[in-house]
Structures are given as C-alpha cells and as structure tokens.
Amino acid sequence: MQPKQKKFFIQTFGCQMNVYDGWRIAAMLTHHGLEQTENISDADIIILNTCAVRAKATDKVFSALGRIRRAKKPSALFGIVGCVAREAGASAFRRIPDLNFVLGPQSYHKLPQILENPDARLLNIDLGGLEKFDELPQMEKSPRVAYIPIQEGCNHVCTYCIVPYTRGRELSRPFADCIRDTIHAAKTGAIEICFLGQNVNGYKYTDENGTVFRLSDLIRETAKIPEIMRIRFTSSYPTEMTDDLIDMFATEPKLLPFLNMPIQSGSQSVLTRMNRPYSLELYTDIIRKLRIARPDIQISSDFIVGFPGETDDDFDQTMKIAQQIKYINSYSFKYSPRPHTAAALMPDQIPENIKAERLAKLDALLNEIQREFNIGCIGKTLQCLLEGPDKTGRHLVYRTPFMQQCIVAFRENAPELTDLEITDANKASLRGKFLTDN
Ligand code: SAH
Ligand code: F3S
C-alpha cells in the first residue's frame, strides 16, 4: 500500500513580499510531494508565514498559534516563518513550548529539513542573503499578475521600522535572474509584472563585467516581452526616484501610471526624527517631474500618525500634504513601537486615544480623495485586467491601471485585458461595462 500523502496548511500575513514567499513555500512543499489543504485538522505540517511590522501583527500570530495548537492533529508539526520568526527568535519556543520550527524570512527554504527529522526543533533566523531564491523551484503556472522579487532588505533604517532588522540589509538579485523569472512568468500565464522589494527603486546590480543595472533597465527589458502588457513596482523610496526611472513613465507605455511612494508624514521635523532625510520640497519636486513625464499618473502613500513627539501642527501638515498631492489607494497606520528600533525609545510617545483620533481624521480625508478620484473616472474608458469572479459569481472584478477595482456583469470567456467604460463609482470601487455586447 502507498503511504498516505502528507498535507500542509499555510497562512500568510502581511505585505506583498510575504504573499510571494507564501507561494514559494507552497510550491516547495508541493515539489516535496506534499498536498496543500485548507483544513488545519487535516494537515501534517502547519506554517504561519508572519508579519512583524506592527505589534498587532505579531500578536495576531501568537493568538493564531494558540488556536492551531488546539485544532491540529497531535502528530502535526507546526511553526512560524517570516518576520515574527526573526523578531522572536528562540523566545518563540519559550512562548509556545511545543512549536517545531522558527525560520526567518531568508531561511524558509530550510523547511523540508523538519520533514526529515520531525523530532528536532528547527531554529534559523540567519540573514542568509538571496540563497533562498536559488533553492526554490519555479512555479509551473503563473498568476495573471506575477510578482517578481528583485531586491530584499533595506538600508534606510527609518527609526520606527523593524524591516531592516527582520529582512536585513539591501541585496539586489542578479539582473539575468530577474529577467529569467520574468520571462518564465510571461511564458506561463502572466500579463502583468510587479517588481517587488522593500526599497524596490534602490535596485542596483553590477555584473561581472562591471555593467550596472537599475530598475529602469529591468522595466525596459520587460517591456520587450510581448505577453507582458502591464508593468509596475512597489515600494519606492523618494530619494531613489532617479531621472532614468522617472523617464520610464514618459517613454514606456506598458508601465502603469501608478506609483506607490510613501511619504509617511507631512511634517519636516517628524520626517527628520523618522530618519527619512528628504525635504518636502524634494518630494513634491519628484511628483512634479513624474506628472510632467506622465500627466495621468496617480500616487499612493503610506502614512504613520502619532509618531513620538508628533504635535497637532505636525499632524495638520500631514493632512495638508495628503490634500495637496491627492494620494489614492493609500494606507495609514497608528505608530506602533517595535523592538530593535530607535523610535521605541524616543520620549513623548503619543497616547493611544490621540493616535486613534488622528488616524480617523486622516482616513476620512483619504477616503474622500479616493471617492472624488473614482467619481472623476465615470464616463472614461480604462484598459483593465481581469482578476476573476466576485463572491456572488454574478460579476467579474477587473483592475484599472490605477489599481481600482472595476466590477462588471459576469460574462463567459471574458477577455483578460480589455477596455471598460466606467459607468458608476463610490469610494471603494468602480462599475463598468464592456464596449461590445459579446
Ligand atoms: N518599503 C517597505 C515598507 C515596509 S513597512 C515595503 O513596502 O516593503 C510598510 C509600511 O508600514 C510603512 O510604509 C509604514 O507606513 C508602516 N510601518 C512600518 N513600521 C511601522 C510602525 N512601527 N508603526 C506603524 N506603522 C509602521
Ligand atoms: Fe522600513 Fe523605511 Fe526601509 S519604512 S523598509 S526602513 S524605507
């Protein structure tokens, strides 16, 4: 009799890089002969792929571990990979004594070792560099939007951010490897490429002949691939938005007119204490240049409210810049003190109720700007990429070039990339229709 096929369960929290890592882990375990299950009680190995960016994200992981422990088969292995593994290290075993593995974001390719030696405890939170990318198998089928990590880690050391600690210093993957993965994605179903990195526009790779490759080179090369119709990248650091990259928005129509370039705060003194040493003039000047290069470009940002020492006046300046730039698709967070970061030790930590008040005010403004932008799209025709049917099955969800959802009536064999006429809008999404009846 054949031994029963072992099953794995994986749950991913956090950013797009983690979502990508989650896919790679699933592909790796499938390659090892395991089958994916959505049911914890059925799984032989349970993996939480974790995020540590805010305290709440870390807490979520430990409460999920408590639930898993009660629901899993007694023989099942369970553990964490990703940023919480790196943040908690060996202390994770003290919090959850029967945990089987704790693997950081650059060592999850070592996961199969636990399958070979299930009685061992596996702890590896080394920053092993880019080794994981070479050891993981390619995916056989790519999603319509393929995420290609080109760079990992961050050298910026914003004083609030745990990412430089969990993901380490910045490393760019070889240009040839990035292009190989992009071509593989295109040949296996991708239509859109999203280049990923914590500091993606800092991508810089020097090959053995001394030739330097930047993100603009990757974009130019990717645009030549006929199957690829849309290109974007995330997340960008303002001062790395160099002129060669800005030019891409003018010269490369496949590059979407949408850019995520977090400002975090509109107050110069808060930015300085965040160790984001760019002036507001420089930031707005980059946006001016981008708008000259691509007049329809839209910008999204992340914001942190309630950073230590943030005054009412500092916060008003954040509101002002949000209104001035008219950010769309943005995220705002209450400042959360994190271990291994300088800001956690700063004086004048802001009380929770003030953080909550400021967040509500900023969110209301960002929602209003988004609603205005969405309504302004009514009557326009936008080229949109199919995401799939909605939950009811009566509609299809498409993505506009500005990453808005556009909902249309269900149609069999709907085109993957098509022009849609925008007929209605609210703050969350657009409604559209096909230009032809069939
Ligand atoms: N450039 C990175 C950003 C990582 S963190 C990337 O996209 O990979 C994502 C966002 O979380 C940051 O832009 C910041 O707005 C927010 N963030 C990071 N640390 C935080 C903290 N300690 N408290 C609240 N928000 C935080
Ligand atoms: Fe974090 Fe700042 Fe880098 S937000 S990922 S340290 S650019």
Side-chain angles (χ1 to χ4, degrees):
M1 207 174 85
Q2 285 268 329
K4 206 166 150 270
Q5 192 177 18
K6 285 206 171 357
K7 293 186 179 163
F8 69 94
F9 171 93
I10 182 164
Q11 185 178 0
T12 292
F13 301 84
C15 68
Q16 203 52 58
M17 188 69 100
N18 253 18
V19 174
Y20 172 84
D21 286 339
W23 288 338
R24 294 299 295 256
I25 293 168
M28 174 176 71
L29 293 176
T30 308
H31 195 72
H32 268 79
L34 280 78
E35 187 191 338
Q36 187 159 7
T37 172
E38 301 299 318
N39 190 349
I40 290 178
S41 57
D42 216 20
D44 301 286
I45 178 164
I46 298 152
I47 304 126
L48 293 189
N49 179 24
T50 63
C51 169
V53 77
R54 282 164 291 277
K56 229 189 201 164
T58 296
D59 295 345
K60 237 194 223 167
V61 169
F62 282 98
S63 52
L65 282 171
R67 279 198 305 278
I68 287 169
R69 206 174 173 198
R70 290 189 292 276
K72 76 180 188 73
K73 290 197 288 205
S75 62
L77 302 170
F78 78 129
I80 53 177
V81 301
C83 289
V84 174
R86 169 105 180 123
E87 177 196 353
S91 77
F93 290 116
R94 280 198 292 282
R95 275 180 85 165
I96 314 264
D98 45 351
L99 212 57
N100 301 95
F101 54 90
V102 174
L103 292 171
Q106 290 177 10
S107 34
Y108 63 68
H109 56 291
K110 304 205 184 285
L111 189 59
Q113 289 178 6
I114 194 80
L115 299 169
E116 283 144 32
N117 193 0
D119 295 329
R121 275 187 164 179
L122 190 57
L123 169 69
N124 190 321
I125 55 166
D126 294 350
L127 293 174
L130 300 173
E131 196 186 297
K132 68 175 182 191
F133 292 114
D134 301 328
E135 295 208 7
L136 296 168
Q138 288 280 8
M139 289 189 265
E140 276 165 30
K141 192 172 164 1
S142 295
R144 243 174 242 126
V145 179
Y147 291 92
I148 309 285
I150 59 170
Q151 174 277 346
E152 173 139 21
C154 185
N155 286 353
H156 284 295
V157 202
C158 301
T159 51
Y160 52 81
C161 187
I162 196 174
V163 172
Y165 177 79
T166 57
R167 298 244 173 201
R169 289 184 75 75
E170 225 166 282
L171 286 167
S172 291
R173 295 180 67 202
F175 183 76
D177 289 9
C178 299
I179 293 297
R180 180 201 63 204
D181 287 1
T182 303
I183 292 173
H184 175 83
K187 299 293 174 210
T188 53
I191 295 175
E192 178 175 309
I193 294 292
C194 180
F195 291 117
L196 279 186
Q198 268 86 34
N199 180 30
V200 73
N201 56 343
Y203 176 83
K204 189 174 178 199
Y205 180 76
T206 310
D207 74 4
E208 51 290 349
N209 305 320
T211 312
V212 178
F213 296 93
R214 305 297 311 249
L215 178 56
S216 53
D217 299 305
L218 276 171
I219 293 169
R220 204 174 299 108
E221 205 55 31
T222 302
K224 292 181 192 155
I225 305 172
E227 290 88 348
I228 300 303
M229 302 304 291
R230 316 212 303 183
I231 304 170
R232 61 192 166 97
F233 53 90
T234 193
S235 211
S236 291
Y237 191 81
T239 55
E240 320 247 30
M241 210 62 218
T242 46
D243 287 344
D244 59 316
L245 191 51
I246 294 175
D247 276 353
M248 285 289 113
F249 286 95
T251 55
E252 193 35 77
K254 288 185 181 179
L255 186 59
L256 291 179
F258 178 70
L259 175 69
N260 172 251
M261 187 170 72
I263 190 166
Q264 308 295 356
S265 167
S267 153
Q268 195 68 68
S269 74
V270 171
L271 285 175
T272 304
R273 275 178 293 120
M274 285 179 163
N275 191 30
R276 294 182 64 98
Y278 45 82
S279 68
L280 291 167
E281 286 74 27
L282 180 86
Y283 185 94
T284 47
D285 198 50
I286 293 167
I287 296 206
R288 189 185 57 79
K289 284 197 216 160
L290 284 162
R291 289 192 170 139
I292 293 170
R294 188 78 198 250
D296 60 343
I297 198 166
Q298 298 299 322
I299 315 291
S300 89
S301 181
D302 296 348
F303 296 92
I304 295 179
V305 300
F307 185 80
E310 184 188 70
T311 61
D312 284 340
D313 187 49
D314 290 325
F315 174 67
D316 284 348
Q317 291 173 44
T318 299
M319 294 286 280
K320 233 180 245 155
I321 199 107
Q323 180 67 270
Q324 182 194 327
I325 310 256
K326 297 224 178 291
Y327 290 107
I328 66 160
N329 299 358
S330 295
Y331 292 94
S332 37
F333 309 102
K334 287 187 283 184
Y335 167 70
S336 165
R338 304 305 292 126
H340 318 285
T341 64
L345 306 173
M346 286 181 184
D348 304 322
Q349 298 281 330
I350 305 294
E352 235 1 77
N353 61 332
I354 295 185
K355 285 187 202 169
E357 240 171 62
R358 289 180 184 165
L359 184 67
K361 253 182 156 172
L362 179 58
D363 277 347
L365 174 64
L366 293 172
N367 282 337
E368 184 49 31
I369 298 171
Q370 182 79 45
R371 198 181 67 88
E372 274 170 26
F373 176 66
N374 289 355
I375 286 172
C377 291
I378 297 174
K380 291 192 175 148
T381 298
L382 299 176
Q383 194 185 55
C384 298
L385 182 68
L386 181 62
E387 220 166 69
D390 72 353
K391 279 197 196 105
T392 67
R394 284 182 287 136
H395 305 104
L396 293 172
V397 179
Y398 279 83
R399 278 281 157 191
T400 73
F402 310 107
M403 294 300 118
Q404 301 140 293
Q405 277 196 341
C406 182
I407 295 158
V408 297
F410 183 86
R411 170 183 284 192
E412 288 294 343
N413 303 320
E416 295 195 299
L417 188 69
T418 187
D419 281 345
L420 296 176
E421 186 191 325
I422 310 306
T423 54
D424 202 359
N426 59 32
K427 80 172 190 329
S429 61
L430 308 177
R431 292 253 162 190
K433 62 175 194 193
F434 294 105
L435 300 187
T436 56
D437 287 334
N438 47 50

